[in-house]
Amino acid sequence: MFWDRWIHQIREAFSLELDESGAARYGILRRNLVILMGVVTIVPLVLMAAINYHEYRKVLGQELANPLRNIVNKTKHSFELFIAERQSAVSFIARAYGYHELVDPQRLNHIFRVVKQEFSGFVDMGLIDSRGVQVNYVGPYDLKGRDYSDQNWFHEVNVRGIYVSDVFLGYRRFPHVVIAVEQTSLEGDRWILRATIDTQRFNELIASMGLDPDSDAFLVNHDGVFQTPSRFYGGVLEKCPLPIPPVSYQANVTTAVDPSGRPIFLAYAHFVHPNFVLMAVKPQADVLRAWTTLKNELVVLFLAATTLIFLVVYRLTGNVVRKVREADERREAAYQEMQHHHKLSSIGRLAAGVAHEINNPLAIINEKAGLMMDLLQGVPDFPYREKFQVLITAILDSVERCRNITHRLLGFARRMDVHIEVLDVNEVIHDVVGFLEKEALYRNVDLRLHLAPNLSKIASDRGQLQQVFLNILNNAFAAVAEGGMVSITTWDADSERIGVSIQDNGHGMSPETLQHIFEPFFTTKKGSGTGLGLPITYGIVKKLGGCIEVQSEEGRGSTFTVYLPKKGPELSEN
């Protein structure tokens, strides 16, 4: 149950499903995008780095181990060759000379001197009879007559016919090895030729490996006893602290830790005979120093790349989320604008119906009032003639006033449909101003009309022009303070166009605001404007074949100038 609850909490924390009603949805969206993009980009990078690290370390280890393996192999062969040559020399002497010849001191001395000249390392040589007694001896020691019958090597050579000892001190008190070969005469007598080999040549072979000061190489027997001195782990005949590696007659390289705690590469090779193991030690730190430096640089590069990726991802997701947020806001504003237009359309249709229904009784009232006026003219001596004329005139004026109102309502309703007609722009302006007279009066706005009396008529859409002038005037009324001034001027701009300017002395606009006023959804009316009024105005003017210009200065007011063609616009089929 704990795991289920924990997994559920993790899923909720990183869920991609956003609560559209939540104010923090964009923060959650950005967090999820950062996580996803981070995982998508960082995980392959981490995997690639891990694989490359493993493979490179593996290849590097092989490349570093090969030279160590080769040098151990070559040195092992040198050891085996050295011992085999001495063993062959002793065997040859034993087979080439009989017991009676070797028992002769002069003959054995001669043979020993010849052998010593041809092969280095020989210290002495002795002949041992079947009883184990050394019956002849050539060398620097007085060992003639020495009884070896109780020595282990004596019994081993009797069994195997040949014997090569480990390094030992013996009577000679210096490290050496013994090679003993058994021989049987034609008469059946058994005897042993025994030679002592100085192990100094072993040390020379180790030195010839050319190891660096931090490395070591030595020879041990199967009991782990040093046969040659070690630079770090002990002298001859001391116990080697390193474990004896498994048997392998080919040079092999493995890793280990020496008694001082250093990680090391251990190269080794077992001898077939005698039972020696050649071991070479090289500290891993020295071998992998270049790799460690490269690894540290790669780690720094990886961290830098990861940081850069996260910064880029964070920045990109910020831009994406911001655009998504702006798109959502535009969608919401467009939806509200559609609702507003739908509402206006409904009001327009309702106004048209109301105006139509009112016009009929107004026509009857107007007709009846006119008839009453005509009847009154036919009765000159009617005592209340003047009073009735005043009353009938008041009725006719009220009917005319109601007719003007219904006319405006019908004009507002007709703007929903595009209809090109020849019209007087001054009349259109009067219609629009009629909608704003009450507001101008209420706010004490000085609404000035400078309309050209002989303004050319143009072919255009009345409803669309009403909307254009109404939008501009609404903005002008919003810009001026109580007691401000709004001026409307019309004139013939040239032979093809007329001009209409709407000027106010309101707060004006900054140059930066002026650059964006015709962009959809751009508004300075925080919380009240949709940012669509002027873009729609601009679109209508362009659609009617005109153009619109704006001059504005902060603190001094704005002037919108609309130029309209006198000829009708060429409307597209769409």
Side-chain angles (χ1 to χ4, degrees), residues 160-193:
R160 296 183 176 178
I162 190 167
Y163 169 78
V164 179
S165 72
D166 293 342
V167 174
F168 67 103
L169 297 179
Y171 300 119
R172 296 166 183 80
R173 301 302 178 188
F174 70 91
H176 63 279
V177 296
V178 168
I179 298 176
V181 176
E182 184 191 51
Q183 192 66 30
T184 304
S185 64
L186 295 177
E187 293 79 12
D189 296 330
R190 300 170 60 193
W191 46 274
I192 297 172
L193 184 61

Side-chain angles (χ1 to χ4, degrees), residues 276-290:
F276 291 162
V277 182
L278 177 61
M279 300 172 66
V281 172
K282 197 173 185 63
Q284 292 186 21
D286 295 341
V287 178
L288 299 177
R289 183 175 290 116

Side-chain angles (χ1 to χ4, degrees), residues 131-184:
R131 297 170 302 165
V133 177
Q134 188 160 256
V135 295
N136 197 3
Y137 171 80
V138 178
Y141 303 97
D142 184 14
L143 300 177
K144 187 175 181 180
R146 182 79 61 181
D147 186 0
Y148 294 105
S149 60
D150 58 345
Q151 300 287 323
N152 292 332
W153 68 267
F154 180 74
H155 299 288
E156 184 173 341
V157 76
N158 284 331
V159 174
R160 296 183 176 178
I162 190 167
Y163 169 78
V164 179
S165 72
D166 293 342
V167 174
F168 67 103
L169 297 179
Y171 300 119
R172 296 166 183 80
R173 301 302 178 188
F174 70 91
H176 63 279
V177 296
V178 168
I179 298 176
V181 176
E182 184 191 51
Q183 192 66 30
T184 304

Side-chain angles (χ1 to χ4, degrees), residues 59 189 218 425 462:
V59 172
D189 296 330
F218 44 83
V425 172
R462 179 182 295 274

Side-chain angles (χ1 to χ4, degrees), residues 108-309:
L108 184 61
N109 186 45
H110 173 71
I111 294 171
F112 176 70
R113 282 188 283 108
V114 172
V115 170
K116 196 171 183 179
Q117 291 176 356
E118 296 297 328
F119 301 97
S120 62
F122 278 95
V123 177
D124 55 22
M125 184 175 290
L127 181 66
I128 301 169
D129 63 13
S130 58
R131 297 170 302 165
V133 177
Q134 188 160 256
V135 295
N136 197 3
Y137 171 80
V138 178
Y141 303 97
D142 184 14
L143 300 177
K144 187 175 181 180
R146 182 79 61 181
D147 186 0
Y148 294 105
S149 60
D150 58 345
Q151 300 287 323
N152 292 332
W153 68 267
F154 180 74
H155 299 288
E156 184 173 341
V157 76
N158 284 331
V159 174
R160 296 183 176 178
I162 190 167
Y163 169 78
V164 179
S165 72
D166 293 342
V167 174
F168 67 103
L169 297 179
Y171 300 119
R172 296 166 183 80
R173 301 302 178 188
F174 70 91
H176 63 279
V177 296
V178 168
I179 298 176
V181 176
E182 184 191 51
Q183 192 66 30
T184 304
S185 64
L186 295 177
E187 293 79 12
D189 296 330
R190 300 170 60 193
W191 46 274
I192 297 172
L193 184 61
R194 183 177 186 271
T196 302
I197 308 298
D198 186 4
T199 58
Q200 180 59 34
R201 181 56 183 164
F202 288 5
N203 300 333
E204 294 174 1
L205 290 175
I206 294 293
S208 68
M209 295 174 72
L211 299 177
D212 56 69
D214 294 329
S215 301
D216 195 4
F218 44 83
L219 204 65
V220 297
N221 62 13
H222 281 192
D223 296 326
V225 176
F226 283 115
Q227 305 298 290
T228 61
S230 167
R231 183 178 297 172
F232 303 119
Y233 305 116
V236 178
L237 300 181
E238 293 182 1
K239 186 70 175 178
C240 177
L242 296 174
I244 300 301
V247 176
S248 173
Y249 297 109
Q250 294 296 325
N252 197 7
V253 179
T254 184
T255 57
V257 178
D258 69 1
S260 63
R262 291 189 310 168
I264 58 172
F265 283 115
L266 176 62
Y268 64 93
H270 286 252
F271 290 17
V272 177
H273 186 73
N275 295 326
F276 291 162
V277 182
L278 177 61
M279 300 172 66
V281 172
K282 197 173 185 63
Q284 292 186 21
D286 295 341
V287 178
L288 299 177
R289 183 175 290 116
W291 158 245
T292 303
T293 303
L294 177 61
K295 182 180 67 176
N296 294 335
E297 293 175 353
L298 289 177
V299 169
V300 173
L301 182 61
F302 175 79
L303 293 177
T306 303
T307 304
L308 180 61
I309 288 173

Side-chain angles (χ1 to χ4, degrees), residues 178-474:
V178 168
I179 298 176
V181 176
E182 184 191 51
Q183 192 66 30
T184 304
S185 64
L186 295 177
E187 293 79 12
D189 296 330
R190 300 170 60 193
W191 46 274
I192 297 172
L193 184 61
R194 183 177 186 271
T196 302
I197 308 298
D198 186 4
T199 58
Q200 180 59 34
R201 181 56 183 164
F202 288 5
N203 300 333
E204 294 174 1
L205 290 175
I206 294 293
S208 68
M209 295 174 72
L211 299 177
D212 56 69
D214 294 329
S215 301
D216 195 4
F218 44 83
L219 204 65
V220 297
N221 62 13
H222 281 192
D223 296 326
V225 176
F226 283 115
Q227 305 298 290
T228 61
S230 167
R231 183 178 297 172
F232 303 119
Y233 305 116
V236 178
L237 300 181
E238 293 182 1
K239 186 70 175 178
C240 177
L242 296 174
I244 300 301
V247 176
S248 173
Y249 297 109
Q250 294 296 325
N252 197 7
V253 179
T254 184
T255 57
V257 178
D258 69 1
S260 63
R262 291 189 310 168
I264 58 172
F265 283 115
L266 176 62
Y268 64 93
H270 286 252
F271 290 17
V272 177
H273 186 73
N275 295 326
F276 291 162
V277 182
L278 177 61
M279 300 172 66
V281 172
K282 197 173 185 63
Q284 292 186 21
D286 295 341
V287 178
L288 299 177
R289 183 175 290 116
W291 158 245
T292 303
T293 303
L294 177 61
K295 182 180 67 176
N296 294 335
E297 293 175 353
L298 289 177
V299 169
V300 173
L301 182 61
F302 175 79
L303 293 177
T306 303
T307 304
L308 180 61
I309 288 173
F310 264 110
L311 289 177
V312 172
V313 167
Y314 187 79
R315 185 66 179 271
L316 288 178
T317 53
N319 291 335
V320 170
V321 171
R322 179 175 55 80
K323 291 184 179 299
V324 170
R325 186 169 192 165
E326 291 175 353
D328 289 346
E329 292 174 352
R330 290 193 185 99
R331 184 189 64 179
E332 184 65 23
Y335 178 72
Q336 293 179 356
E337 184 67 16
M338 288 176 60
Q339 286 184 320
H340 180 66
H341 276 275
H342 180 73
K343 185 177 181 180
L344 288 180
S345 176
S346 300
I347 293 174
R349 291 189 179 90
L350 179 62
V354 170
H356 178 74
E357 294 297 327
I358 292 176
N359 274 340
N360 291 333
L362 282 178
I364 296 173
I365 294 172
N366 185 58
E367 183 182 350
K368 299 302 181 184
L371 179 59
M372 290 172 64
M373 183 64 77
D374 293 341
L375 293 175
L376 189 62
Q377 295 297 330
V379 187
D381 53 351
F382 184 64
Y384 301 103
R385 174 188 176 86
E386 293 182 358
K387 186 175 182 179
F388 269 74
Q389 282 181 339
V390 173
L391 294 174
I392 293 171
T393 301
I395 292 172
L396 292 174
D397 290 343
S398 297
V399 168
E400 182 62 24
R401 185 180 176 185
C402 290
R403 184 178 294 163
N404 289 335
I405 294 173
T406 56
H407 178 73
R408 292 170 190 164
L409 290 175
L410 289 173
F412 179 79
R414 280 198 299 271
R415 75 186 177 91
M416 303 301 174
D417 303 320
V418 177
H419 177 66
I420 301 299
E421 59 181 316
V422 178
L423 53 84
D424 186 351
V425 172
N426 288 341
E427 292 180 2
V428 176
I429 292 174
H430 276 296
D431 293 340
V432 174
V433 168
F435 288 109
L436 300 172
E437 283 179 341
K438 295 297 182 184
E439 182 178 355
L441 181 62
Y442 176 76
R443 294 179 56 196
N444 195 26
V445 174
D446 182 10
L447 184 58
R448 303 176 184 176
L449 299 179
H450 303 286
L451 306 181
N454 299 319
L455 184 67
S456 300
K457 294 185 178 181
I458 65 172
S460 190
D461 181 271
R462 179 182 295 274
Q464 300 285 3
L465 287 181
Q466 284 178 335
Q467 185 170 359
V468 167
F469 297 139
L470 187 60
N471 286 342
I472 297 175
L473 283 171
N474 280 333

